[in-house]
Amino acid sequence: MTHEIAVIPGDGIGQEVTPAAVEVLEALEIDFEFVEADAGDAVKAETGEALPQETYDLAASADATLFGAAGETAADVILPLRTAVDSFVNVRPAKAYPGVDAVRPETDLIFLRENTEGVYAGHEDRLTQDVSTLTRVVTESASERLADFACDYVAGDDHDGFSIVHKANVMRETDGLFRDTVKRVADDNGVETDEVLMDAFATRVCLDPEQFDVIVCPNLAGDVLSDLAAGLVGGLGLLPSANIGPDRALFEPVHGTAPDIAGQGVANPAATIISAAMLLEYLGYDEASEDVHEAVEATLEDGPRTPDLGGDASTEDVTKAIIDRL
Ligand code: GGG
């Protein structure tokens, strides 16, 4: 059976790391049909549209999508692409790897980030010269959908439970609804939870990341706290993500376009290649997924490494080393 994979490199280093991940997938000789499409700042400059309709339609119909990064147009690209696959959860593992210089080498976390609402719902207004507003949306249905996924996730992957990270002591209605709903669903499923205020979480995870395992959180908190966790494990070049929907999914590195190094051929492809390993698992290729994870881990441990990890290798060198280890 052929799987259609939409490939949307986007901007900046997305143009470098996405082809690297496709090279790894091609090396596996699985029956994939890769279809490339444009999105981001460059296509907007050319056509006036950051996300052409054909790119949206491709993501909405492909079996899975591999996305790189978007810069200034991130809100016009990433959010609709997540909608195209009806993605209600963004799975973001943040793990320290042997051989990589990490602030907290014991870190091994999974963020399950609500992916449709919160401040990302986009209800912003400029009322006057002096005042702008943002309406934050939290629904019971979206919180339930995330909590159902979290319960299945911890059961399937043998975790003890999960932490609900929120700020319901201040945002009583919105985060209050989020916390109460997630807790109710977890209780109904017999899943253990604890609750952590998100500011306290930020401190505690830096001091002792082993206190945490699976973290369920609202949209913006998930974005910010997973980037914080990237700082604990050696940088954003190591964090993959999966935007999961009911019928399809979109995989992307957590990092953005990195304009400071774009075009130099030295971007770390690990985050995108690990995202591709998550894509393989999503499509049922568990063994191939494990092989890619192991090849990336061995390469991170023994090199070559890109400059963000203290090495002087190129994106191409690292990609080749990963493929050679498959
Ligand atoms: N690789 C995805 C990307 O471009 N990330 C940068 C970004 O702005 N991310 C925001 C988000 O994940 O919500």
Side-chain angles (χ1 to χ4, degrees):
M1 177 189 177
T2 305
H3 292 290
E4 186 180 64
I5 310 295
V7 178
I8 308 172
D11 295 311
I13 61 167
Q15 290 284 339
E16 298 161 49
V17 294
T18 315
V22 171
E23 262 185 70
V24 172
L25 290 173
E26 279 172 339
L28 297 167
E29 294 178 6
I30 296 172
D31 198 4
F32 286 139
E33 187 192 342
F34 297 100
V35 184
E36 193 165 324
D38 292 325
D41 301 353
V43 70
K44 183 170 182 186
E46 229 175 80
T47 68
E49 270 186 313
L51 186 66
Q53 187 63 42
E54 59 264 31
T55 304
Y56 179 94
D57 291 344
L58 177 67
S61 63
D63 295 307
T65 297
L66 191 61
F67 171 62
E72 289 302 314
T73 52
D76 306 317
V77 173
I78 305 176
L79 304 189
L81 280 178
R82 289 175 184 160
T83 307
V85 300
D86 192 15
S87 169
F88 55 91
V89 55
N90 188 202
V91 181
R92 292 186 161 192
K95 174 177 161 175
Y97 293 94
V100 173
D101 194 12
V103 175
R104 290 286 177 206
E106 65 277 33
T107 307
D108 191 359
L109 304 167
I110 306 280
F111 290 87
L112 302 180
R113 164 188 178 189
E114 201 290 320
N115 218 18
T116 62
E117 53 186 30
V119 297
Y120 269 65
H123 303 298
E124 275 199 298
D125 281 305
R126 181 69 180 255
L127 296 186
T128 67
Q129 176 67 24
D130 187 41
V131 180
S132 55
T133 60
L134 166 65
T135 303
R136 182 164 189 261
V137 179
V138 172
T139 63
E140 187 177 36
S141 50
S143 307
E144 255 172 12
R145 215 175 169 197
L146 172 70
D148 282 335
F149 180 92
C151 290
D152 288 348
Y153 187 90
V154 295
D157 225 9
D158 209 16
H159 299 272
D160 289 337
F162 57 79
S163 303
I164 309 169
V165 173
H166 61 80
K167 191 71 183 161
N169 59 335
V170 174
M171 294 179 280
R172 293 187 184 116
E173 288 303 331
T174 48
D175 268 17
L177 178 59
F178 176 82
R179 176 201 55 199
D180 294 349
T181 307
V182 174
K183 173 95 177 97
R184 171 177 53 74
V185 172
D187 288 349
D188 289 350
N189 284 277
V191 172
E192 270 185 43
T193 55
D194 60 1
E195 285 181 37
V196 192
L197 292 174
M198 67 175 75
D199 45 355
F201 175 86
T203 308
R204 285 174 54 188
V205 78
C206 291
L207 294 173
D208 180 14
E210 281 183 303
Q211 291 172 58
F212 301 107
D213 178 18
V214 177
I215 295 112
V216 176
C217 51
N219 203 336
L220 180 62
D223 191 38
V224 174
L225 295 173
S226 56
D227 273 36
L228 182 148
L232 302 179
V233 302
L236 275 168
L238 298 169
L239 257 64
S241 82
N243 299 278
I244 307 287
D247 300 315
R248 39 190 50 83
L250 179 145
F251 300 82
E252 55 174 324
V254 166
H255 64 68
T257 55
D260 53 329
I261 56 160
Q264 296 175 26
V266 295
N268 187 348
T272 316
I273 295 174
I274 305 168
S275 303
M278 294 171 84
L279 177 152
L280 287 164
E281 187 185 349
Y282 172 77
L283 291 176
Y285 298 101
D286 291 6
E287 209 177 308
S289 170
E290 199 47 46
D291 290 347
V292 173
H293 279 296
E294 282 173 14
V296 172
E297 281 173 29
T299 305
L300 289 171
E301 184 158 14
D302 297 332
R305 297 194 190 98
T306 43
D308 57 311
L309 300 181
D312 58 5
S314 66
T315 309
E316 206 180 315
D317 297 333
V318 174
T319 308
K320 185 175 177 318
I322 291 170
I323 292 171
D324 286 349
R325 286 181 166 108
L326 284 174

